[in-house]
Amino acid sequence: MSDDHQDPVPERRAVRDTYRSLRIAVVALVALLASAVVAQTVRSGCWETSVSAYYWTGAHDAVVGAVCAIGVCLLVYRGTSDLENTALDVAGALALVVAFTPTAQEPSCGAAAPPVPVDVLPGVQVAVTALLVAGALTILVRLVVRRRGPLTGAERAARLVAGAVLAVLAALFLVDAERFATTAHDLAAVGLFVATAGVVLLRAFEARAVSARWAAAYTVLGVALVLTLAAVVALREQVPTWRHAVLVTEAVLVGLFAASWLLQTVELWGTDVPRPARATAAARSGRRPS
């Protein structure tokens, strides 16, 4: 007998399974990104100085494709609050910018000879123009179909900050595309992980109403993300005694993101539709959520 006959509400099961698949997809895409980096390293016999530097290697297609797909998943995924949704949308949009704009070209694996210069500007112009058009259409559709509801002061502030960050990047591209092509990657990468840390810390705050252990786990991962990001920024200037310091810290950042996403997947696996932690706690106690 098929699952559809066993489930009295197959449509609800389909929604649940789609939600689960979306969460699993992000973990699979992180594994794809890591595998591409390792495969290229085995092929070349040496490590690049950062994850972003693999843009210039044979791992280019897999790296760009994985980061783009992760960005789309973050944009599509709906969290349990407007604050979380805003942080996820910013992270998703910035992931696409990270994918479309390369880091500075440098000698591969520390080779003495400088690399042959590659003009990335035409590709960046086409990709980011398409991203702006798709983004504008998406915002328009969301404004038309979204359910209206009151926003808190924190949610309004988060939306204003998110809009300002994305507007600054868009303005930089429209005013000076060449400068955008050479600087946007690093700016977007920092913003991406700041937004990711925000998602994890927001989940820690929400989880306090349900489980102190879940809240503590999210808090540890969120704080670790913030501290590691600070280390990446501090080490962005090449460390003479350790060329791969940025690569290691970036790998830790990606690993922490994957761990937090996997943790939340486990926490929410049994739910049909994720609800805010405060609503779940209120339901358990027999009270109506405020």
Side-chain angles (χ1 to χ4, degrees):
M1 183 180 293
S2 68
D3 289 342
D4 285 353
H5 292 296
Q6 295 175 359
D7 194 330
V9 188
E11 295 84 359
R12 186 173 182 179
R13 182 174 61 83
V15 172
R16 178 196 62 203
D17 290 348
T18 299
Y19 165 77
R20 290 176 174 178
S21 297
L22 180 60
R23 293 204 63 91
I24 293 172
V26 174
V27 178
L29 288 166
V30 171
L32 170 63
L33 175 63
S35 299
V37 168
V38 172
Q40 173 59 31
T41 299
V42 171
R43 181 174 178 272
S44 64
C46 57
W47 294 92
E48 300 295 333
T49 57
S50 68
V51 174
S52 300
Y54 282 85
Y55 178 98
W56 301 103
T57 70
H60 172 273
D61 291 349
V63 169
V64 172
V67 176
C68 281
I70 290 171
V72 171
C73 287
L74 295 178
L75 284 166
V76 170
Y77 182 81
R78 297 289 87 192
T80 58
S81 69
D82 281 322
L83 276 176
E84 185 179 2
N85 285 334
T86 299
L88 286 166
D89 287 346
V90 171
L94 292 178
L96 293 173
V97 176
V98 168
F100 293 150
T101 56
T103 189
Q105 194 177 6
E106 60 182 28
S108 179
C109 295
V116 178
V118 177
D119 184 10
V120 300
L121 182 57
V124 170
Q125 286 178 314
V126 171
V128 177
T129 298
L131 177 59
L132 290 176
V133 172
L137 290 174
T138 301
I139 292 172
L140 179 61
V141 171
R142 282 189 176 179
L143 289 174
V144 172
V145 303
R146 75 180 297 270
R147 291 180 298 176
R148 305 294 177 182
L151 297 177
T152 66
E155 289 165 347
R156 289 193 186 93
R159 289 193 177 191
L160 287 173
V161 171
V165 169
L166 298 178
V168 167
L169 284 173
L172 176 59
F173 172 72
L174 295 173
V175 172
D176 191 345
E178 185 172 357
R179 185 178 181 186
F180 178 91
T182 58
T183 62
H185 180 91
D186 290 345
L187 294 174
V190 171
L192 166 60
F193 284 109
V194 167
T196 301
V199 170
V200 179
L201 292 174
L202 282 170
R203 189 61 196 168
F205 179 79
E206 290 282 355
R208 294 185 308 167
V210 177
S211 169
R213 287 182 296 179
W214 283 113
Y218 287 122
T219 300
V220 169
L221 288 171
V223 171
L225 272 165
V226 172
L227 294 178
T228 306
L229 179 60
V232 171
V233 174
L235 294 171
R236 195 58 190 171
E237 293 297 326
Q238 186 176 0
V239 179
T241 57
W242 188 16
R243 295 185 62 254
H244 299 100
V246 174
L247 172 65
V248 171
T249 49
E250 284 182 343
V252 172
L253 276 175
V254 174
L256 288 170
F257 162 71
S260 65
W261 192 266
L262 186 59
L263 182 67
Q264 191 176 15
T265 300
V266 172
E267 181 198 3
L268 301 178
W269 188 260
T271 61
D272 285 336
V273 179
R275 294 190 296 168
R278 58 180 178 270
T280 303
R284 288 178 177 176
S285 63
R287 295 180 289 106
R288 296 184 64 183
S290 57

